[in-house]
Amino acid sequence: MKLQLNHSQQKFLFLLGITFIYSAVVIKLDLLHGPKLGDETNFWKTSLTFSDRLIPSIDDLRNYHALNTPLPFIIFGALEYLFDGGIFAGRLLNLILSLSMAFIIGFPSRNKGGIAILSIIGLFFSPNYLRGSGSLYTDIIACFFVLIGFVGYVRNRHLLSSIAFILAISSRQYMLAFPVAIATYEFIFSITNIKNIREINLVTMWRWIVPLIAALSIVGWIYLFEGLAPKGALYSMAADIQKTTWGLIPGRAINFWAFVGCYIIIPELILFGAKARLNILKKQWRKIVLIAAALLVFFLIFPPSLAGWGKIMDIVKLLPDDILKLIFLYSLSLLTCLRFSQPNLISLVVLFNSLIMMKAYPWEKYIMPLAVVFWYLKSLGLEDKFTLFKQQNVALGNDN
């Protein structure tokens, strides 16, 4: 899909579309004054425990009743402390942050043009993104800090990037995947591209040390909680696998890949054209067969969960036979494995998210931060550029 519009027309189209979409969101949510939906009830109750003071106590941080790290609740509580605006203030903040991300990704600057508009359309395919934009959920705040982390990284503002990732991890634990991916990428890249030991210096090391420091901030929360989350919430709300520090269910990575295949890869094929992708498939059929076979072996050893939350899992439940359910999930997950088969930064982001999702209940909304990062890099034309090695085979989705 190509937008045959000049720069002024692209900006007008973007502003018109954003105005319409976000107005529709606000109206649908009763101007952000509607009744609490889903997890909003518990999230608001948790936020109120942080509304008595601007700076929470250690007991506040240890004993709140929610599974994710507390920064969103601290922010929502601070808004209530300062403005006494009820749930509306937190919803408004999420709307502003969501709108800010939309502009960062989708505004058609002269360098990005129509690609940016297509990228923000792609992001809107992400489950719960627009709904979460006007609700008292924690995901938008976490996604915003992850995006700022990548903005800082792309622009070589590594200290800003590290601070943003620390705040992201303080909002949701599984944001850990993003600084770990960057640190791993920069470390491998520096090792494989250094010709002489004398080339190793603080400047080259800084690029992987700083995101590593951000990633290690999770240790502080684990120490504070004496586990992965506050004890009370962990033992009353978490699944059994989440109550152990190191336990994993590998098959849940397949569910995650299926969600990515449906909500990121298929929209990318629609928005940016499938013809070039099919040509790549024809040229790399041996690689495709190898990936498909490897995924099948993994699939048979570690089958995916047939229970979960979201539209994809609803479709799975409707299918009459377990074999059809497994074929459906395998097909979607194969799209993801093919698309991110090239060893680069975004494939590492997918890999580390997949590892963390082995500990999470299958829920398609967990792909939201990955979608934000993917479409941001896509809008800049960088999603396939951070390669680990100089000579690469082209992965599905890389037109170069």
Side-chain angles (χ1 to χ4, degrees):
M1 184 185 297
K2 294 183 179 180
L3 295 177
Q4 302 295 337
L5 302 172
N6 62 40
H7 187 231
S8 296
Q9 291 171 329
Q10 290 171 359
K11 289 194 293 185
F12 175 78
L13 177 63
F14 171 79
L15 293 173
L16 180 65
I18 288 296
T19 300
F20 174 79
I21 290 171
Y22 278 85
S23 296
V25 169
V26 171
I27 292 171
K28 181 176 177 58
L29 296 175
D30 296 327
L31 304 181
L32 308 185
H33 287 286
K36 301 179 188 69
L37 301 173
D39 287 335
E40 280 192 304
T41 299
N42 184 58
F43 286 165
W44 177 239
K45 182 179 179 180
T46 303
S47 299
L48 290 177
T49 65
F50 292 97
S51 65
D52 294 333
R53 57 178 73 91
L54 284 178
I55 301 177
S57 67
I58 296 297
D59 285 340
D60 290 336
L61 295 174
R62 281 179 171 165
N63 298 318
Y64 66 94
H65 199 69
L67 290 174
N68 61 274
T69 36
L71 183 57
F73 306 125
I74 295 172
I75 294 173
F76 296 147
L79 290 174
E80 180 65 9
Y81 177 83
L82 292 171
F83 304 109
D84 196 25
I87 197 172
F88 170 80
R91 288 172 169 176
L92 180 61
L93 173 64
N94 274 342
L95 185 74
I96 293 170
L97 295 180
S98 173
L99 190 58
S100 300
M101 288 190 284
F103 270 83
I104 291 172
I105 294 170
F107 188 77
S109 65
R110 291 194 180 276
N111 292 331
K112 296 194 294 185
I115 293 177
I117 296 178
L118 295 178
S119 295
I120 194 60
I121 293 173
L123 177 59
F124 289 157
F125 278 93
S126 179
N128 292 358
Y129 182 83
L130 288 174
R131 178 186 173 186
S133 299
S135 303
L136 194 88
Y137 275 65
T138 59
D139 307 271
I140 291 295
I141 292 176
C143 287
F144 176 78
F145 287 127
V146 164
L147 178 58
I148 297 303
F150 268 84
V151 170
Y153 172 70
V154 167
R155 297 183 181 182
N156 292 317
R157 302 291 188 266
H158 298 292
L159 185 58
L160 168 65
S161 177
S162 180
I163 293 171
F165 284 132
I166 290 172
L167 294 174
I169 293 169
S170 299
S171 302
R172 296 297 297 249
Q173 291 93 323
Y174 70 97
M175 302 301 113
L176 171 69
F178 298 94
V180 169
I182 291 177
T184 303
Y185 168 79
E186 289 293 343
F187 179 77
I188 296 174
F189 185 84
S190 65
I191 294 299
T192 55
N193 287 278
I194 286 177
K195 300 177 182 178
N196 191 310
I197 192 68
R198 295 178 181 176
E199 295 180 9
I200 300 177
N201 54 54
L202 183 59
V203 174
T204 57
M205 294 174 63
W206 183 252
R207 295 181 65 89
W208 62 265
I209 288 176
V210 174
L212 178 61
I213 291 172
L216 289 175
S217 68
I218 190 66
V219 176
W221 291 113
I222 293 174
Y223 175 79
L224 181 68
F225 297 147
E226 297 180 357
L228 297 176
K231 286 185 177 180
L234 191 65
Y235 287 101
S236 63
M237 301 173 64
D240 289 341
I241 192 64
Q242 295 172 328
K243 295 176 183 178
T244 64
T245 302
W246 302 108
L248 297 172
I249 302 178
R252 290 184 178 176
I254 298 173
N255 295 92
F256 180 73
W257 297 335
F259 302 152
V260 173
C262 180
Y263 293 110
I264 296 180
I265 310 307
I266 290 177
E268 184 193 23
L269 292 173
I270 294 171
L271 293 169
F272 289 88
K275 185 176 180 180
R277 314 298 191 259
L278 294 175
N279 290 333
I280 293 171
L281 285 173
K282 293 177 182 178
K283 295 177 182 178
Q284 297 191 334
W285 65 270
R286 291 183 181 86
K287 180 179 180 180
I288 303 307
V289 170
L290 181 61
I291 292 172
L295 176 62
L296 181 60
V297 171
F298 185 84
F299 200 89
L300 294 174
I301 298 174
F302 304 109
S305 173
L306 297 182
W309 293 327
K311 301 297 183 184
I312 297 301
M313 300 311 297
D314 288 343
I315 293 173
V316 168
K317 294 171 187 175
L318 290 174
L319 293 174
D321 186 83
D322 283 353
I323 298 298
L324 292 177
K325 296 177 182 181
L326 294 173
I327 291 173
F328 177 67
L329 291 173
Y330 175 84
S331 301
L332 289 175
S333 60
L334 180 60
L335 286 176
T336 299
C337 293
L338 294 176
R339 174 61 180 87
F340 298 115
S341 61
Q342 182 181 5
N344 58 19
L345 174 58
I346 194 66
S347 65
L348 287 173
V349 171
V350 174
L351 171 63
F352 285 109
N353 269 278
S354 302
L355 292 174
I356 291 176
M357 288 303 112
M358 292 180 186
K359 203 169 188 64
Y361 190 75
W363 194 356
E364 59 191 31
K365 82 163 187 171
Y366 289 147
I367 74 162
M368 191 190 302
L370 172 61
V372 168
V373 169
F374 176 81
W375 291 111
Y376 169 66
L377 295 177
K378 187 79 177 179
S379 73
L380 298 174
L382 297 177
E383 80 283 4
D384 292 313
K385 303 304 181 185
F386 289 97
T387 55
L388 280 170
F389 310 107
K390 292 181 179 179
Q391 298 297 325
Q392 296 287 345
N393 293 323
V394 180
L396 177 62
N398 187 351
D399 297 332
N400 297 326

